[in-house]
Amino acid sequence: MRWLNTRTITPLLFMAPVLVFAIVFFFLPVGFSLYISFHKWDSLSPPEFYGFTNYVYLLSKDPQFYRTLVNTFVFAGGTIAIGIPLALVVAYSFSQSRFQTVWRSIYWLPMITNIVAVAFIWKFVLNDAYGMLNRGLALVGLPGPGWLTNPSLSMFSVIMVFVWMQLGHNMLLVSAGLQSIDDTYYEAARIDGAHSGNIFWDITLPLLKPTILFLLITNFITGISYFALMMVLTEGGPAGSTNVTSLYMYNMAFSDLRLGRASAAAYILFALIFIVTLIQLRLFRRGGVEAHN
Amino acid sequence: MADAGGIVRSRTLGSRALTVLKYTLLTIGAIVMVAPFLDMFFGALRTVPERLARPPVYFPQTPQWDNFAQVFREMPMLQWGINSLITTLSVTVLQVTSSAMAGYALAKFEFFGRMTAFRFVLGAQMFPFFLFIIPMFFILRYFPLVGGNDIFGKGGMGLLNSYLAIILPFAVSWHGVFLMRQFMMAVPSELLDAARMDGAGEFRIFFTIVLPLVTPGLATLAIFVFVYQWNEVIWTMTVTRTAPNLQTVPVGIYLLRGAYVEEAKMSVQQAAIFLSILPVMIAFLFLQRFYVRGLTAGGVKG
């Protein structure tokens, strides 16, 4: 029993709570939900084996499912396309400004606000007739659209609210990246007579590439699996225009009690995220980023 | 032909213009960040006639501070607040403890399977939360021997309808373990070996030497978890939909939205929303620097 000394037992004791958690709240759910995805189950009667029926149904017979997938990718893509350039510009201004604590507190306010508050605040702001935004637009003589009631505009509104929520977070990561750029590069460029525009495009941006890549990847993955805002702000509507796959899955499970099909939907979405992540990790490596050391 | 002085002058002029541009941009951004909150704040202070006027009066003439008191009279705000506090503090303590212990083991011990465990901690972070919602709900529902369940998990509600249903799924976070492992790496091993030579027990070393050294790390994780958990809605709502006495502040406000669809009652709802943000805002203002570290640690190493 030589192995049973303090050197081997101690780390196990320290790991014990996490190990138990991993079994009960990681491996068990992951396995259970895979099992359920091959069954028909409404939680009231025992699960009935269904083979690949749930997967086949979602992928070939359910038009709703494709629609939610498109919405999911529009949302994830939209938040990146708008959010990251914005974060770059704001972080660039922020990193050279004074009173950083003040700016940071302001830009982080949305990030530390709970999603119910965010949704309700914006419901008032984006209200058709008397919301702050449309009243403001009316002051300058512009017609205010139905930000949340027009199905072709609602996804855009949700994306903008999400970008608003995440800006502080992204700005911080970019400004951390900016700070890690060695000052000597700038000094050398300045001695050589480069002006600020050149410095930004030729020095800052290339050296920031790892940070930008990191943001793209993490924001994209967050975007694909995200649904809290849609759930509380629009409930997937109007007319399903903001119904993303994870929200569709949630309602399928807890409103319709189609737990097998919902689990299959979760696994399909997870597989997509997994593939996207692998592709992006490859990009990561090519872009010279080491996410974790 | 521009002389040297001209170039310098135009550059300072250019850089001054750039500075103005930067601050203008930051200010516009700041207004966009804050304005929605002010909109809610003004809304919370409006009287009923001000709300019902068409168009509604934007700036309340006589601020109705009583709307905030009305929240406590109309909604079980106190109960929600207590629930929020209980669950948030429990999750914070559990997560910080479990992360510190596991992080310490992963950083400072050689043991069989250490690399596997560490890779698992990294990989598990890739599993999105939505994958766990359905199975976790039923694992808690069929948890054996609790909440009226027999050994096969049948007969009762299991851990549902208890604080544990809200707390347990967040007792460990893989990101937390990873974060603490990074902080623990910085603890000098020589110090631990010296303490062992002096005959200190492993747990004494952990509590009296290691933990004090990583206090900033613990604080970082704690504020992070606190903010996250106070704001957690999806899971808490899923398990407390049928248990109003367990609902937290944001979940309670959300599920009671049906009672506030009338324009006349909306001031109270907006006041409640303001109150739901307040605790995190206060905690955050005091502990902001730890939050910065939490977001940047474990991020990019370019």
Side-chain angles (χ1 to χ4, degrees), chain B residues 30-210:
Chain B
I31 292 170
V32 175
M33 291 293 131
V34 175
F37 288 95
L38 291 179
D39 181 65
M40 172 199 58
F41 189 63
F42 292 141
L45 295 175
R46 269 175 219 147
T47 58
V48 175
E50 279 170 341
R51 291 210 86 103
L52 294 176
R54 287 290 170 264
V57 178
Y58 193 77
F59 296 102
Q61 297 303 306
T62 40
Q64 297 299 299
W65 298 105
D66 186 58
N67 285 342
F68 286 97
Q70 186 67 18
V71 170
F72 288 90
R73 276 178 248 134
E74 260 180 39
M75 301 181 181
M77 191 51 133
L78 209 60
Q79 179 69 53
W80 292 342
I82 293 168
N83 292 342
S84 275
L85 220 54
I86 291 175
T87 52
T88 305
L89 290 178
S90 309
V91 167
T92 308
V93 169
L94 284 172
Q95 227 181 88
V96 170
T97 314
S98 63
S99 301
M101 286 169 70
Y104 176 55
L106 287 172
K108 288 293 157 193
F109 286 89
E110 296 288 337
F111 59 93
F112 179 74
R114 182 177 79 139
M115 263 334 272
T116 317
F118 183 56
R119 283 206 194 97
F120 168 75
V121 168
L122 289 181
Q125 291 180 58
M126 278 179 39
F127 283 67
F129 185 69
F130 68 76
L131 194 65
F132 295 89
I133 298 178
I134 300 171
M136 219 131 75
F137 183 87
F138 289 100
I139 287 170
L140 294 172
R141 169 93 162 71
Y142 295 120
F143 214 90
L145 300 175
V146 285
N149 279 353
D150 58 22
I151 190 129
F152 302 107
K154 296 279 167 64
M157 285 305 281
L159 289 172
L160 294 181
N161 297 344
S162 76
Y163 284 122
L164 286 176
I166 308 171
I167 296 166
L168 281 183
F170 297 102
V172 171
S173 90
W174 306 115
H175 184 252
V177 174
F178 171 72
L179 203 69
M180 283 321 296
R181 184 251 183 198
Q182 301 301 84
F183 280 111
M184 292 292 181
M185 294 294 273
V187 174
S189 297
E190 297 79 20
L191 205 63
L192 308 178
D193 288 334
R196 284 191 191 106
M197 297 285 241
D198 290 345
E202 290 295 338
F203 280 88
R204 220 183 112 199
I205 293 175
F206 180 68
F207 283 108
T208 58
I209 298 174
V210 176

Side-chain angles (χ1 to χ4, degrees), chain A residues 92 95-96 178 181-200 202-204, chain B residues 7-8 11-12 15 18 22:
Chain A
Y92 189 67
S95 64
Q96 296 166 344
L178 283 171
I181 296 174
D182 202 328
D183 276 338
T184 50
Y185 287 111
Y186 294 125
E187 275 161 34
R190 239 169 261 135
I191 289 166
D192 289 346
H195 43 81
S196 339
N198 286 351
I199 292 177
F200 180 77
D202 296 335
I203 297 176
T204 312
Chain B
I7 292 174
V8 170
R11 197 183 296 154
T12 48
S15 72
L18 197 68
K22 278 176 192 160

